[in-house]
Amino acid sequence: MLAQMKPTHSIEIKELLKLADRRFKSERDSFLFQEGMVAEELYVIISGKIQISKITSDGRELSLRICGENDICGELTLFTDSPKYLLSAKVLEEGEIAAIKKDVIESEIFQNSKLAFEFMKWMSDHFRKTQTKFRDLVLNGKRGALFSTLIRMTNSYGVEKGNGILIDLPLTNQELANFCGTSRESTNRILSDLKKENIISVKKGKITILDLQYLKDEIGCENCSTIYCNIE
């Protein structure tokens, strides 16, 4: 099993990049924006990886997705009055970012019906992905949420090896816990159990899934399309 290629967005990224008024290098652990900041721009990821997350009411971080090449973030602020970013965007892997003024892209959407249609399709897919992730987090409990996250990561970053599927994305246990909406301690215990049961192995911060079917069986996986079952 190999990592699934990311579906090409119908939105013409090249056309969006023409609207950008600046490009800049992103540095690891910096933020493109943080929750509550006044929203003036959308961002197109040219290279690198950006983690989109939400701080919960009790102070925990819930990671929602990882944006990569040709992805868009900050889009939830479009067509709102006095907009503020609802989520935070942290740089996981340095790269290059293009910034587009919010009012510029809104004007272009009004004038360009094709762009408006394609943007609506992209947003619809994006919301459907988010809904399936919240479904898994709510219905499957801590253990099931971690299993679901690991399955999604194999679809996004999985590389087939002789003994299983390597998730080719280094993550700390805290970062993994953030995707599951649980504590690092709980994630540590579950990962330890999975290692003892020979379901996974961990080397240099990267997880190899040795028995993917076990994870799927445990959460009653519906084998959704990888377009929606991913971490992106």
Side-chain angles (χ1 to χ4, degrees):
M1 181 178 184
L2 300 177
Q4 300 294 322
M5 292 182 64
K6 185 186 297 185
T8 302
H9 295 313
S10 297
I11 297 175
E12 289 292 342
I13 296 299
K14 291 181 180 179
E15 292 300 313
L16 286 179
L17 290 177
K18 291 179 182 178
L19 303 177
D21 68 324
R22 66 187 180 102
R23 295 190 184 196
F24 60 94
K25 297 293 184 181
S26 56
E27 297 182 0
R28 181 177 170 81
D29 293 331
S30 64
F31 286 86
L32 294 184
F33 53 83
Q34 290 181 277
E35 184 177 347
M37 290 175 56
V38 174
E40 297 179 340
E41 297 177 317
L42 277 73
Y43 300 91
V44 178
I45 315 304
I46 300 172
S47 62
K49 290 184 174 64
I50 306 296
Q51 176 181 286
I52 306 299
S53 60
K54 172 79 174 177
I55 302 300
T56 64
S57 58
D58 59 1
R60 288 182 299 158
E61 182 178 5
L62 175 60
S63 298
L64 299 175
R65 74 183 201 268
I66 296 176
C67 298
E69 182 182 355
N70 290 342
D71 278 335
I72 305 168
C73 58
E75 74 286 348
L76 297 180
T77 63
L78 284 177
F79 301 107
T80 57
D81 295 327
S82 303
K84 293 184 178 180
Y85 291 113
L86 303 176
L87 307 169
S88 296
K90 183 180 180 180
V91 179
L92 287 183
E93 181 183 288
E94 63 183 19
E96 185 179 5
I97 311 294
I100 307 172
K101 292 291 185 183
K102 176 179 172 291
D103 56 355
V104 170
I105 196 167
E106 288 177 343
S107 177
E108 184 66 19
I109 286 174
F110 274 123
Q111 298 176 44
N112 186 333
S113 59
K114 181 179 179 181
L115 177 62
F117 176 70
E118 300 297 351
F119 209 95
M120 288 174 62
K121 286 171 57 180
W122 180 81
M123 289 290 286
S124 176
D125 283 345
H126 171 63
F127 287 139
R128 184 169 176 181
K129 289 179 186 180
T130 302
Q131 285 178 332
T132 61
K133 289 173 187 174
F134 279 124
R135 176 201 64 191
D136 291 346
L137 290 176
V138 171
L139 297 182
N140 293 327
K142 294 178 181 180
R143 188 176 173 90
L146 177 58
F147 291 3
S148 171
T149 298
L150 292 174
I151 292 169
R152 290 175 184 277
M153 286 184 169
T154 63
N155 289 333
S156 295
Y157 300 106
V159 178
E160 188 173 321
K161 299 292 183 179
N163 62 336
I165 303 170
L166 169 69
I167 298 175
D168 194 18
L169 179 71
L171 290 171
T172 66
N173 285 2
Q174 181 61 66
E175 289 171 331
L176 189 57
N178 291 345
F179 278 102
C180 307
T182 188
S183 68
R184 179 175 58 84
E185 291 75 17
S186 293
T187 298
N188 288 346
R189 286 195 296 270
I190 299 170
L191 290 176
S192 179
D193 290 342
L194 292 176
K195 284 189 283 187
K196 290 177 182 177
E197 297 167 15
N198 206 36
I199 305 300
I200 68 168
S201 64
V202 183
K203 185 176 182 181
K204 295 182 179 179
K206 293 184 178 180
I207 296 173
T208 297
I209 307 298
L210 306 177
D211 190 347
L212 181 62
Q213 193 58 49
Y214 172 87
L215 300 180
K216 290 185 174 183
D217 290 343
E218 285 293 295
I219 64 170
C221 178
E222 299 174 352
N223 291 310
C224 301
S225 167
T226 54
I227 294 175
Y228 303 112
C229 185
N230 59 60
I231 209 70
E232 299 167 333

